[in-house]
Amino acid sequence: MSADAHPQASDELELRVNGVDHAIADVPLSTSLLDLLREHLDLRATKDACRQGRCGSCSVLMDGELVASCLVLAADAVDADITTVEGLADDPDSQTFRTALLSAGGVQCGFCTPGIVVAAHACLRDHAAAGEREVREELSGNICRCTGYGRIAAAVAQVIGGQAGDG
Amino acid sequence: MAVARPRSLIAALDALADRPAATVLGGGTDLMVEVNAGQRHLTDVVALRRVDELATVEQHAGGLHLGAGLTWAGMEAALAEHMPALAAAGRSVGSRQIRNTGTLGGNLGSASWKASTPPVLYALDATIDVRSAGGRRDVPVEDFIVAEGRTTLAPGELIASVDVPACRGPQRFLKLGNRSSVISAVVAVAVVLDLDRRRVRVAVGSAAGVPQRLSAAEGVASDVVDWDAGAIDDDGLRSVRRAVGSECLATSDHRAGARFRRHAASVLVARGLASAVTGGRPGAPL
């Protein structure tokens, strides 16, 4: 490794995650929000896979907007409101979608599921009348290797159609 | 403090003046990939996320003034009517996650061969407003990118905004990749009709290291468009394709060969031109 192998520590970082304020010390400057969530806050439902912002498994909401947490510098997230999938557990809209996702068969290995739940939450909130093409475009940042996306898209469509909860 | 979080442009420029070697952080969608891979070690960061004045769009008599902090989503939302090629570029990039985060300034400043904003800005003769604590300089976009990955930005400088002169007429942006989203372009083109001057402008990105205006192809295209009727025939499109194919510089890499890139550029330019001339819906699938 290079000679400057000592990562520069930042000041204590103050973050709001899922409505809870945290003050975290000794965070190296190069730490991503993803690493902060998983390693420092033990919020491990958000997944760490590609570290390039391509797979979507690290998706969170930052001030309500869908982002890839691996591409957010933790030190830059200090005055943002972060919502991880854990923070959606009691959200009624998210519960509706999660029920639809399960009944549609949209979960197999489950690795993509946290990211999908967050991305679908943003999609359903912002594109309430989306057709299939738009839904797929909104979820195109989340890779699923198991389901082939059809059942995931069907779950979103089911919620849009207002049929969720009938099963 | 290792991270400056200015809330105004002046504060950002002061922070950069204090630490000219600092890493400027816009959206971070390029930077963080390198950081995560251990290719970039951060020691000093000036984060621009909170500088709201950088994320504005202003329309004035001469054209549009685009803040460097505009995200792709912001470009898509704000520019659909007045600068549809950039709105289309915004929609074409990455994913919802990326589009909510990446910025105009970051994309332009990367001067990456895969960047989507440069071909549009080249076709629109944009000027880059470069600021430092010491002042301001305006750089034509074609002079701003000097090589792949390199701009004329000096330490202590940042891109504040992009000025786009008004150009009346349809615009198209088309990008080719190996799938529909989260791709690096194999080739991207911007086609702009300048109805007042009856000129076509053509810019190609991602074919070679730097974006290109194809002036010879523009001449051919401008001649074959029937400006009065708003029409173009197959022979005309064929000659445009030939002109693009012979003028467009292209390199080969793992993504595509140079010949394919030239071919793809010629096809995309012809499609964009046909769509623009005949009034096809911008952003509609071709």
Side-chain angles (χ1 to χ4, degrees):
Chain A
M1 283 304 282
S2 60
D4 59 326
H6 292 288
Q8 173 144 352
S10 67
D11 301 330
E12 191 172 80
L13 296 186
E14 293 176 358
L15 263 84
R16 166 164 291 212
V17 182
N18 298 331
V20 176
D21 291 323
H22 300 271
I24 309 152
D26 298 325
V27 180
L29 180 55
S30 296
T31 304
S32 68
L33 176 62
L34 174 64
D35 284 342
L36 188 85
L37 293 169
R38 289 180 54 85
E39 308 301 328
H40 294 255
L41 295 179
D42 220 34
L43 292 168
R44 293 174 185 272
T46 306
K47 299 303 178 209
D48 177 1
C50 79
R51 303 175 76 80
Q52 297 177 31
R54 288 173 169 260
C55 75
S57 68
C58 72
S59 299
V60 300
L61 300 178
M62 187 160 153
D63 290 332
E65 302 228 302
L66 184 70
V67 301
S69 62
C70 72
L71 297 186
V72 177
L73 189 67
D76 196 28
V78 293
D79 31 27
D81 238 308
I82 308 294
T83 304
T84 70
V85 66
E86 291 95 334
L88 292 177
D90 297 330
D91 181 287
D93 292 328
S94 183
Q95 286 170 340
T96 300
F97 172 70
R98 296 189 320 258
T99 303
L101 188 66
L102 286 169
S103 70
V107 179
Q108 291 188 31
C109 83
F111 191 87
C112 77
T113 304
I116 289 282
V117 168
V118 176
H121 188 77
C123 172
L124 288 164
R125 181 197 63 201
D126 297 338
H127 303 267
E132 180 176 356
R133 188 187 162 100
E134 194 175 1
V135 166
R136 283 178 178 265
E137 192 171 343
E138 288 302 309
L139 296 185
S140 62
N142 292 74
I143 292 178
C144 171
R145 300 299 287 147
C146 296
T147 67
Y149 305 101
R151 295 164 188 260
I152 295 172
V156 178
Q158 195 181 318
V159 174
I160 288 174
Q163 292 151 24
D166 289 351
Chain B
M1 188 168 68
V3 181
R5 303 183 187 94
R7 296 189 171 273
S8 69
L9 179 57
I10 290 189
L13 297 176
D14 284 344
L16 270 180
D18 288 341
R19 51 184 90 184
T23 304
V24 176
L25 173 62
T29 54
D30 287 330
L31 174 69
M32 287 305 292
V33 176
E34 296 179 33
V35 171
N36 288 339
Q39 291 164 352
R40 199 80 176 249
H41 297 281
L42 299 177
T43 55
D44 228 335
V45 173
V46 175
L48 301 180
R49 190 168 69 81
R50 298 156 192 76
V51 183
D52 292 338
E53 64 193 276
L54 282 180
T56 57
V57 174
E58 285 163 31
Q59 204 185 352
H60 54 85
L64 280 171
H65 180 92
L66 311 174
L70 266 179
T71 63
W72 299 106
M75 285 182 247
E76 197 188 341
L79 300 175
E81 186 191 338
H82 296 293
M83 203 165 152
L86 198 59
R91 184 178 174 194
S92 79
V93 165
S95 59
R96 174 54 57 201
Q97 289 88 334
I98 300 288
R99 291 199 285 279
N100 282 343
T101 313
T103 65
L104 171 62
N107 186 253
L108 177 60
S110 75
S112 165
W113 60 270
K114 56 185 176 169
S116 295
T117 58
V120 179
L121 300 180
Y122 271 53
L124 290 170
D125 291 328
T127 302
I128 315 304
D129 173 357
V130 176
R131 302 276 177 115
S132 68
R136 163 188 181 155
R137 61 192 182 96
D138 294 304
V139 184
V141 68
E142 290 180 50
D143 299 332
F144 182 73
I145 295 174
V146 297
E148 205 282 329
R150 203 150 54 86
T151 69
T152 62
L153 280 183
E157 290 186 319
L158 55 74
I159 302 166
S161 64
V162 177
D163 266 293
V164 180
C167 179
R168 189 179 68 92
Q171 311 173 350
R172 296 291 184 270
F173 174 83
L174 295 85
K175 178 196 278 187
L176 180 70
N178 60 340
R179 51 176 179 270
S180 298
S181 69
V182 198
I183 52 135
S184 296
V186 167
V187 73
V189 308
V191 178
V192 172
L193 300 190
D194 182 346
L195 295 178
D196 293 333
R197 296 175 190 83
R198 295 195 160 184
R199 292 287 303 177
V200 179
R201 306 187 201 166
V202 176
V204 177
S206 308
V210 294
Q212 314 164 54
R213 280 284 291 270
L214 303 184
S215 48
E218 290 179 359
V220 170
S222 303
D223 285 342
V224 299
V225 170
D226 182 340
W227 296 95
D228 294 314
I232 186 166
D233 62 22
D234 288 344
D235 281 342
L237 289 171
R238 254 192 298 273
S239 45
V240 171
R241 283 181 55 167
R242 270 196 304 271
V244 172
S246 60
E247 187 179 3
C248 179
L249 299 172
T251 52
S252 295
D253 65 10
H254 65 282
R255 225 172 290 277
R259 252 181 73 183
F260 179 72
R261 283 196 153 100
R262 275 193 294 272
H263 171 74
S266 71
V267 171
L268 293 186
V269 169
R271 284 187 187 174
L273 181 60
S275 169
V277 168
T278 62
R281 254 187 326 119
L286 293 167

